[in-house]
Amino acid sequence: MLEFRKDLFADERDDNLNVIGKGEQRQDMLGHVTGRTRFFDDHGFDGLLHLKVVRSPHHHARIRSIDVTAAERAPGVKRVIRGQDVPLNKNTLLSLIDFGKDDEPTLAVDKVRYKGEPIVAIIADSEAEALAAVKLVRVSYDPLPTVFDVQEALKPGAVVVNETYPGNYFEYHDKYDHQKLRFGDVEAAFRTADHVLEERYQMSPIEHASTETNGTIAAPETNNRYVVHSCAQGLFFSLGTTAKILALESNRLHFIGGTVGGGFGGKVDSLTEPLAVLGAILTGRPVRYVLGREEEMQFASPRGAERHVIKDGVMRDGRIVARQITSYFDAGAYTRLTSYGVVKCVAHMPGPYTIPNVRGDAYCVFTNRVPATAMRGFGVTGVDFSIEVQMDKLAHLVGIDPMEFRILNAYRDGDMKAHRRVAHNTALIECVQVVAEKVNWPLSETARRASSLSGGGGPRAAIPPTVTDESGRIGRPETRQAPPQLTPGAAPLPAHQPRPAVPVYQPPPAHQPAAALPNYPSQPADAAPLPAPAPPVPNAPAPPQHGAARFSSVFTRRR
Amino acid sequence: MARMPVQFRLNGSDRAVFVEPAETLLGTIRRGLGDFAPKFGCGQGTCGVCTVLVDGEPRLGCLTLSVTCEGRSIETASGLADGPTLHPLQAAFMEHFAAQCGFCTPGMLMAAKALLDRNPNPTRVEVVEAIAGNVCRCTGYEPIINAILAAAQQRGVRRA
């Protein structure tokens, strides 16, 4: 819980907090309107060299040979860089937080896995000379069969895209082929649901198309360091990645940046920094590596494609009693950040709704497409779109107004979410109410009076008995009642622990009486009572946790 | 290839440079003369971040050859302010929050200046038309349009 300590440094600060609600001039605005803001490319250097890259014309091919002799002799060419010149020519971005295996070369050596993959870098006096020399590099390929569809890629016998992950799926904790979410018993709930609706949703990759393309200028400094003008959105992340790939001490890199000409997630991949710095090391001169617009589209990561299959069980009165989602994320040929997006997706699968039985399976799949990365809510945006379209369809199916339908199923403060975190500061009900008011959408009196602050918690805070899979995984019994423990979702049960019996489906408790929507029938009188809710957790301040610990399912490696 | 001498005025100062025959005005202004206000975005005339004024007319710096600018007068966003005094467009852009990342701003300002110089009292539609070739990917078009209209109004007041 966040605590605001006003007693610390009180005399050094104005605590009136009177900024919100007023216009406040941005500190960088004067630079923007005078043209004085310096983006990475707005730096002049004497003797600046330009780096351009030979890219794969194939989606998938073995490289038989690379001949750079003509390019090396071309006018203005100062240096040709190949894969073997890169000190650590295999990396994955999240290795900095110990998540995933190194799987992507800076320059491809034996195989290319997507169209646009870099193979050889040319450094020359001018961009035109570098581009001319790029055309002189002779690469001979043996084209390989390709796979572009996530579900095709997961089939046995599919073409292996990325040999680091021979199953074409990212391996979570080095052994799981996907991320799993289990909460309650969806199968039993489907059997008792009045309606079951299964739909498939998918979205194409989306290019960020920031007006500034990715790029870097790197130059030797006088103190045996390199100055790096970078477009990176995560400057220190990029510094760490560059230091790792080039096997340099990170204090020999002086990164300057933070002024980004549009990022939206498309500048977190350190696509240009390592090669630009390597070029500066090898030539002893400033090197500029900027993607053209076509390269930006072809090689710089987009938001990846996603496919979500959603199956919901709903009662005639509008309560969603079960939700099952199978999600496929197209990572493209390399991991970059998709593995992390999938983790976010799983936490978001029920959406902002309290559903008593949820089952989710999400796969991070490799295909011969451009590797995908972050973009504005990635991992959540696609599944959110799918869920909300599904909500409209469900509302239509049971004949309830879609706004009322959302209020009826909305999570409330104190509810247990399917990934076993208690919902706090929920406001979906209030958001729907405000939207309805703004667009003059008639809501029932009950829906207007509903509140996220009441009606939640209690039995809705309980974790239902959860079915385990064939290997006895999912859910630790000792966490069943207690909210905010960090539960390793896939930890095996202790051997002696009896597997929880498959529970009889029980309808969720009716929404809190005062705010209940009276038009909906109350729950059957003969429903078995739910287990008594856990005693309220005392509001003692939680021990401080490092950010990495809070997201331990991502940041720690389990075996 | 032989380089060619070119002379033009850049923001009121006479400049002389040697350029490659195929060199773009954007490249000459940025890497040749060190004025980094106009930006490179697409290199194919679709995004407008390289917009500069050539004899008062908006031109795409990435598609204009430097050798065609002999004897011309070039203006960029660096030359908009009069010493420490901001141009009304610059002041209005600040006032109306008409920039987010700032990358499209120099081009937007020049497209807007060309409009106001020839049409001091534009309609909203004319403003939209004038910046139709300038892409803002932070999608802040409304504040930009409002800022340009406000600048026009303010200049009108000052003239009256």
Side-chain angles (χ1 to χ4, degrees):
Chain A
M1 189 63 77
L2 188 70
E3 190 191 2
F4 197 20
R5 292 285 302 274
K6 286 197 168 192
D7 54 321
L8 301 173
F9 305 106
D11 54 338
E12 296 177 21
R13 188 182 64 228
D14 176 9
D15 258 345
N16 291 321
L17 302 185
N18 52 9
V19 171
I20 289 175
K22 287 194 306 191
E24 187 79 2
Q25 190 51 262
R26 283 169 42 167
Q27 52 87 19
D28 56 353
M29 201 58 128
L30 185 62
H32 288 349
V33 301
T34 52
R36 281 202 288 267
T37 299
R38 288 284 176 259
F39 296 89
F40 83 86
D41 198 22
D42 300 338
H43 297 270
F45 288 93
D46 285 334
L48 182 65
L49 300 177
H50 299 265
L51 186 151
K52 291 288 171 188
V53 164
V54 179
R55 299 188 180 281
S56 165
H58 297 284
H59 296 288
H60 198 193
R62 197 156 294 289
I63 297 175
R64 216 171 333 135
S65 65
I66 302 172
D67 178 4
V68 298
T69 46
E72 279 174 330
R73 287 198 300 264
V77 171
K78 289 287 178 286
R79 174 80 200 205
V80 174
I81 304 177
R82 298 178 53 172
Q84 49 265 43
D85 300 317
V86 182
L88 188 74
N89 194 24
K90 216 177 188 193
N91 179 51
T92 194
L93 288 169
L94 293 177
S95 63
L96 293 186
I97 54 171
D98 197 19
F99 186 54
K101 293 184 271 197
D102 289 342
D103 68 340
E104 181 169 9
T106 299
L107 292 171
V109 175
D110 53 347
K111 193 177 145 176
V112 286
R113 298 172 177 86
Y114 69 96
K115 190 176 170 183
E117 180 160 1
I119 304 167
V120 173
I122 308 272
I123 300 174
D125 283 324
S126 71
E127 277 187 272
E129 286 165 329
L131 286 169
V134 160
K135 295 202 179 109
L136 299 176
V137 174
R138 296 277 166 263
V139 185
S140 85
Y141 303 93
D142 288 326
L144 294 167
T146 52
V147 59
F148 298 113
D149 182 87
V150 280
Q151 281 171 282
E152 291 297 320
L154 289 178
K155 284 183 181 164
V159 175
V160 176
V161 174
N162 178 340
E163 286 71 11
T164 306
Y165 295 106
N168 287 342
Y169 50 78
F170 180 82
E171 292 162 17
Y172 285 92
H173 312 299
D174 290 336
K175 56 181 171 182
Y176 300 117
D177 64 347
H178 69 288
Q179 286 276 304
K180 217 187 256 292
L181 179 70
R182 295 292 184 273
F183 187 74
D185 184 354
V186 287
E187 282 308 327
F190 283 142
R191 282 196 294 276
T192 55
D194 291 325
H195 303 278
V196 173
L197 178 70
E198 180 170 338
E199 297 283 338
R200 193 181 93 144
Y201 304 90
Q202 60 183 18
M203 49 175 278
S204 301
I206 301 171
E207 165 62 29
H208 312 78
S210 48
T211 42
E212 175 199 66
T213 57
N214 272 272
T216 300
I217 300 178
E221 283 188 323
T222 51
N223 48 9
N224 203 25
R225 295 192 203 186
Y226 296 89
V227 64
V228 186
H229 293 282
S230 162
C231 71
Q233 284 179 257
L235 200 67
F236 290 91
F237 203 81
S238 188
L239 190 156
T241 298
T242 306
K244 179 189 164 188
I245 290 174
L246 301 183
L248 277 181
E249 300 86 346
S250 56
N251 65 6
R252 291 188 59 201
L253 294 171
H254 173 193
F255 266 61
I256 298 176
T259 305
V260 179
F264 322 123
K267 287 177 178 157
V268 295
D269 293 331
S270 301
L271 295 176
T272 54
E273 287 83 355
L275 269 185
V277 177
L278 182 59
I281 291 171
L282 294 176
T283 62
R285 289 180 50 184
V287 171
R288 171 177 175 267
Y289 175 23
V290 181
L291 301 188
R293 181 57 61 185
E294 192 180 339
E295 288 177 298
E296 182 80 22
M297 296 279 182
Q298 178 100 74
F299 158 64
S301 331
R303 179 206 289 282
E306 296 172 27
R307 180 175 301 156
H308 303 281
V309 182
I310 306 182
K311 183 178 174 184
D312 284 336
V314 63
M315 306 307 285
R316 265 183 225 101
D317 63 14
R319 286 173 294 123
I320 304 171
V321 293
R323 169 162 288 171
Q324 173 180 304
I325 304 188
T326 309
S327 297
Y328 305 92
F329 281 71
D330 190 345
Y334 299 106
T335 309
R336 294 197 188 162
L337 292 179
T338 305
S339 53
Y340 168 61
V342 169
V343 175
K344 285 165 67 185
C345 169
V346 174
H348 195 71
M349 275 178 167
Y353 306 104
T354 293
I355 301 174
N357 301 283
V358 181
R359 177 162 73 199
D361 296 282
Y363 296 82
C364 170
V365 188
F366 297 103
T367 66
N368 292 113
R369 298 220 252 181
V370 179
T373 193
M375 183 178 189
R376 295 196 155 182
F378 75 123
V380 172
T381 320
V383 71
D384 237 356
F385 153 77
S386 310
I387 286 171
E388 292 307 325
V389 177
Q390 179 87 353
M391 290 299 282
D392 284 343
K393 290 181 178 174
L394 290 171
H396 182 75
L397 187 65
V398 295
I400 295 179
D401 173 275
M403 297 278 219
E404 304 249 349
F405 185 69
R406 284 172 170 83
I407 288 177
L408 172 67
N409 286 289
Y411 61 3
R412 299 174 185 226
D413 275 10
D415 287 0
M416 177 58 65
K417 298 213 69 186
H419 64 301
R420 290 156 177 77
R421 293 179 79 85
V422 175
H424 293 299
N425 303 320
T426 58
L428 175 64
I429 291 173
E430 287 72 16
C431 287
V432 174
Q433 288 165 339
V434 169
V435 169
E437 189 192 330
K438 297 272 183 205
V439 300
N440 294 318
W441 189 281
L443 283 184
S444 71
E445 180 61 23
T446 317
R448 272 204 305 275
R449 283 217 316 268
S451 164
S452 295
L453 298 176
S454 60
R460 292 163 60 113
I463 296 178
T466 295
V467 193
T468 53
D469 64 14
E470 26 331 309
S471 48
R473 296 183 194 283
I474 272 304
R476 289 196 309 199
E478 68 270 23
T479 65
R480 196 164 304 158
Q481 298 281 343
Q485 298 291 331
L486 289 166
T487 61
L493 289 168
H496 62 272
Q497 185 71 36
R499 283 170 60 166
V502 176
V504 177
Y505 168 68
Q506 295 153 347
H511 293 272
Q512 209 273 339
L517 303 167
N519 295 340
Y520 308 122
S522 58
Q523 59 173 311
D526 58 349
L530 283 158
V537 179
N539 233 351
Q545 276 183 340
H546 188 268
R550 284 190 61 220
F551 300 102
S552 64
S553 67
V554 177
F555 291 163
T556 61
R557 183 172 294 204
R558 293 193 297 266
R559 294 185 200 282
Chain B
M1 215 175 292
R3 294 185 148 219
M4 303 169 74
V6 178
Q7 294 187 57
F8 50 71
R9 285 177 84 78
L10 179 63
N11 294 325
S13 301
D14 286 325
R15 308 299 293 263
V17 280
F18 285 94
V19 301
E20 301 283 343
E23 193 170 313
T24 64
L25 180 59
L26 180 67
T28 302
I29 293 174
R30 286 176 56 84
R31 293 269 157 220
L33 297 169
D35 177 356
F36 289 106
K39 307 297 180 205
F40 172 91
C42 66
Q44 49 189 263
T46 56
C47 75
V49 297
C50 61
T51 303
V52 297
L53 304 192
V54 178
D55 290 342
E57 286 296 314
R59 288 280 176 268
L60 294 164
C62 75
L63 294 185
T64 304
L65 293 180
S66 301
V67 290
T68 67
C69 296
E70 176 69 33
R72 312 266 183 167
S73 172
I74 317 282
E75 294 169 71
T76 73
S78 307
L80 265 184
D82 179 9
T85 309
L86 294 181
H87 187 277
L89 275 166
Q90 293 173 310
F93 267 55
M94 289 190 76
E95 174 82 7
H96 291 265
F97 193 70
Q100 189 169 316
C101 81
F103 202 75
C104 72
T105 311
M108 285 283 184
L109 285 167
M110 299 322 286
K113 179 172 191 291
L115 170 71
L116 297 194
D117 284 352
R118 68 167 187 272
N119 178 3
N121 192 20
T123 64
R124 195 173 183 86
V125 170
E126 286 168 333
V127 170
V128 170
E129 208 165 280
I131 61 167
N134 295 66
V135 172
C136 165
R137 275 293 284 169
C138 308
T139 60
Y141 293 110
E142 283 297 308
I144 292 169
I145 294 163
N146 293 338
I148 296 169
L149 287 168
Q153 201 171 19
Q154 201 212 330
R155 289 219 293 194
V157 168
R158 200 187 296 165
R159 265 197 309 274

